[in-house]
Amino acid sequence: FSPSLQNLRKEKSRNAARSRRGKENFEFFELAKMLPLPGAITSQLDKASIIRLTISYLHMRHFASQGDPPWSPLLEGENNCSKGKCAQTSHSLVTDIFEQHLGAHLLQSLDGFVFVVSQEGRFLYISETVSIYLGLSQVELTGSSVFDYIHPADHVEMAERLGIRPHLRAEAGCQTSHESASSSASTSSLAGTPEPAPSSPCSPGSEFSERGFFIRMKSTLTKRGLHVKSSGYKVIHVTGRIRCRPALVPGSSRPLHRPMGLVALAHTLPPSTLNEVRMESQMFVFRVNMDLQVTYCENR
C-alpha cells in the first residue's frame, strides 16, 4: 500500500509541474505575440530572447515619449479626433495607410541602417536592414550592449559619444599584443556595467547634440556579401543626434535637457584597396616590411 501511495504522489507532482510549465509557456507565447515583430520570428524565440526584447520595447516606448521633441504625432491626432476636430475622409484614410508603411519605405531607401542606443549603451532599436550591411540579426542586437559588437579599440570613442564612463583602463583604446586573454575579455565586456557620466545639459536644437564619428562594428559578411561563421569588422560612419529629456532643476525656472541616448544612421564604408586610391602627380608608391625596410619603390 505504501509504494503505490508514493507513486501516486510522484505522479501528482509530475502533473502539477507539467501544468505549471504549460501555463508558463502559454504566457511567454502570448507575450511574444505582443512584440512588434512578424509572427514567423516571435514563434521561434526562446524565453530569454522574449524577456530581452520586451524590456527593450518598454524602454523604447519611454525613450520615445519622454524626449523632446515628442515622437507621438499619431496620438496627438487621435486626441484631436476625439474632440470632433477631424473628419475621416477617403483621402485621410489613404494617408493613414501610407503613413503606417512609411517607415519601411524609408528604411529600404536608406543606404544604411538606423539604430537607437540608450545612454547606458544598449540597443533599444535597430532596423532589420542591419542584416544587409553587417549580416547580423535585428533580434540578436536589440537589447544587447553596443560594446559587444564594436572593436575593442573603439570602446572609448563610443563611450565618449554617449557620455558614459565605462570601467576601463586609461590605455584600453590601444591594446598591446602582450596583454593577457583575461584582460582583453574584461575589456570586451565593458558595457556590462557602464558608469553614466554626469549628464551635462543639452539643447535639442543645438549643434552640441549632433554626433558624427567612425567606429568598427562586427560583420559576418564577406566582400561578396556572403555569410561567414567567423566575424570580422566593417568601418561604420555614424551620424545622429543625442535625444534629450526636459528635467526640472530645483531653484531654476528654466528646465534643463538631460541626454537620454543616441538616435543615429549608420553607413558602412567599403574597404579601400591600393588600386582605388587616387594617385596625384606629386605622389608615389612604396612598400615596407614589418622592420620598416623599403622593399619596393616606384621609379618616380
Side-chain angles (χ1 to χ4, degrees), residues 28-90:
F28 274 100
F29 177 74
E30 292 295 320
L31 181 61
K33 290 197 303 183
M34 299 174 65
L35 294 173
L37 294 171
I41 295 179
T42 56
S43 60
Q44 303 296 326
L45 296 176
D46 57 5
K47 296 179 182 179
S49 298
I50 293 175
I51 294 297
R52 172 171 52 83
L53 294 174
T54 302
I55 294 174
S56 300
Y57 176 68
L58 294 176
H59 286 169
M60 185 62 193
R61 285 180 61 91
H62 180 267
F63 184 89
S65 61
Q66 297 295 323
D68 188 23
W71 287 355
S72 56
L74 296 180
L75 295 178
E76 294 175 358
E78 292 176 0
N79 294 335
N80 294 335
C81 290
S82 63
K83 298 178 182 179
K85 294 183 180 180
C86 69
Q88 289 291 338
T89 62
S90 59

